[in-house]
Amino acid sequence: ATPSSSTFSGPQSFAIAAYTSPSWNGVPQKSSSETLDTLGDRLMTWLQYRNINGTQSLWVSRTVKVSSSSYGIRWMEVRNMSGTPSVYQQGTYAPNAAYRWMPSLAVDKFGNMAVGYSVSTSKMYPAIRYAGRLVGDALGTLGQTETTLFAGTGSQKGGYNRWGDYSSMSVDPVDDCTFWFTTEYY
């Protein structure tokens, strides 16, 4: 009702850990020569804003190249929005030589975080997995072990390599604690 009461400032720049973007069509899958698109140059999570006990934070994730045969999930929490924003914690999750991509994360009312993503290799069909961290876990780590939600049973073929662009992890607005995740599988 009163646009003059709104203000915008920025942009603000701040340092993050170095990373290498993955190739666009770089994810192998079992029983197919078709490689899957990572959309690796984009932040994949809609920016998560939380205010927990007066501490404001922004959370985001993306896919990063870990090695020539592995991609991982890079996630971070940014704090100090009223001053100079800075990374409070960040991490890259790649517990083995598989391709993890298309991450989406959410944070509940306590500060616990869950991230869902796709995983594939040339010896497995694309699968859906998740990992997480409790608010008390060591900074920059996903202390809650990776779990498979769905082991894929097929590979994408036919010249169409887009995969899971619209995956989304969110927190139920009723209890601000239950995590909901949606993504693609065969």
Side-chain angles (χ1 to χ4, degrees):
T2 313
S4 61
S5 295
S6 299
T7 61
F8 294 95
S9 61
Q12 294 285 331
S13 296
F14 50 88
I16 63 171
Y19 68 90
T20 301
S21 293
S23 62
W24 276 75
N25 297 321
V27 177
Q29 52 182 336
K30 182 178 176 178
S31 300
S32 178
S33 60
E34 183 93 29
T35 55
L36 301 173
D37 191 347
T38 64
L39 297 180
D41 67 332
R42 294 172 170 82
L43 297 174
M44 292 309 299
T45 299
W46 44 282
L47 191 62
Q48 295 275 314
Y49 168 81
R50 294 304 308 211
N51 186 335
I52 300 171
N53 299 323
T55 300
Q56 297 181 71
S57 61
L58 297 172
W59 295 73
V60 70
S61 65
R62 71 176 322 131
T63 303
V64 297
K65 183 177 181 179
V66 176
S67 71
S68 62
S69 61
S70 177
Y71 295 164
I73 304 305
R74 169 69 62 88
W75 60 273
M76 70 181 68
E77 177 187 8
V78 177
R79 289 189 179 178
N80 197 24
M81 267 59 72
S82 61
T84 302
S86 61
V87 174
Y88 176 70
Q89 64 173 324
Q90 63 188 321
T92 298
Y93 189 72
N96 59 32
Y99 293 79
R100 288 168 178 78
W101 84 109
M102 292 294 169
S104 180
L105 65 76
V107 179
D108 73 8
K109 66 184 175 184
F110 302 111
N112 304 311
M113 184 266 280
V115 59
Y117 45 89
S118 295
V119 180
S120 188
T121 70
S122 61
K123 295 180 169 71
M124 70 176 276
Y125 296 119
I128 302 171
R129 294 185 184 171
Y130 74 96
R133 59 171 283 103
L134 299 177
V135 68
D137 288 346
L139 293 179
T141 64
L142 296 182
Q144 305 309 300
T145 306
E146 179 175 78
T147 301
T148 298
L149 289 170
F150 184 83
T153 59
S155 58
Q156 184 162 282
K157 300 175 184 175
Y160 187 75
N161 66 355
R162 293 296 289 270
W163 183 271
D165 302 19
Y166 304 102
S167 69
S168 180
M169 179 74 73
S170 60
V171 178
D172 195 306
V174 173
D175 65 8
D176 200 14
C177 193
T178 301
F179 291 92
W180 294 93
F181 182 57
T182 182
T183 193
E184 176 178 348
Y185 70 88
Y186 277 110

